[in-house]
Amino acid sequence: QVQLVESGGGLVQAGGSLRLSCAASGRTFSNNAMGWFRHAPGNEREFVAAITWSGIYTSYAESVKGRFTISRDNAKNTVYLQLNSLKPEDTAVYSCAADQIYRRWPPTSYYYWGQGTQVTVSS
């Protein structure tokens, strides 16, 4: 059974930082793009960042460019999202996702999804 499990969320003041992790189990994703999404109450789920299987190429939403950094460690089957200079509008449930297509970039859909971790930024 394939699972993606996020961790690292929490409550932080504006301007603070968090590091989210997404650990995969059940299969390896070393040849698959992975991404992070977020969903705030009353809003649609939105794309945050994505990374290729090698980690060489990344993509970010305009709203997080320069503040968030996606990375991965294929030896640990884990993808990370470093969140810096957090703003109250970054408050959301952050979920990771994995593309099931071998070395597709950019991903046009994601097949595997985690349950998410809550990030709350106070002003």
Side-chain angles (χ1 to χ4, degrees):
Q1 181 183 0
V2 177
Q3 283 190 310
L4 301 179
V5 179
E6 302 92 339
S7 61
L11 173 64
V12 63
Q13 288 188 330
S17 298
L18 286 173
R19 188 192 194 205
L20 307 183
S21 299
C22 171
S25 61
R27 61 160 284 180
T28 178
F29 291 103
S30 59
N31 287 300
N32 304 86
M34 297 189 72
W36 285 94
F37 290 75
R38 65 186 182 185
H39 191 188
N43 292 346
E44 297 286 324
R45 181 173 64 192
E46 65 171 334
F47 167 78
V48 176
I51 189 167
T52 56
W53 47 94
S54 63
I56 292 177
Y57 296 107
T58 57
S59 175
Y60 294 94
E62 285 297 323
S63 59
V64 306
K65 274 184 181 178
R67 300 189 298 122
F68 293 6
T69 302
I70 188 171
S71 61
R72 66 190 297 164
D73 184 340
N74 286 337
K76 296 182 179 180
N77 218 18
T78 299
V79 64
Y80 305 96
L81 186 67
Q82 179 68 40
L83 291 67
N84 296 331
S85 302
L86 282 161
K87 305 175 182 179
E89 51 264 42
D90 294 318
T91 294
V93 174
Y94 285 71
S95 299
C96 68
D99 189 2
Q100 66 168 340
I101 303 300
Y102 179 87
R103 297 193 177 185
R104 173 173 66 175
W105 186 259
T108 54
S109 63
Y110 291 83
Y111 187 78
Y112 301 100
W113 291 85
Q115 291 295 312
T117 184
Q118 176 71 46
V119 171
T120 303
V121 185
S122 63
S123 56

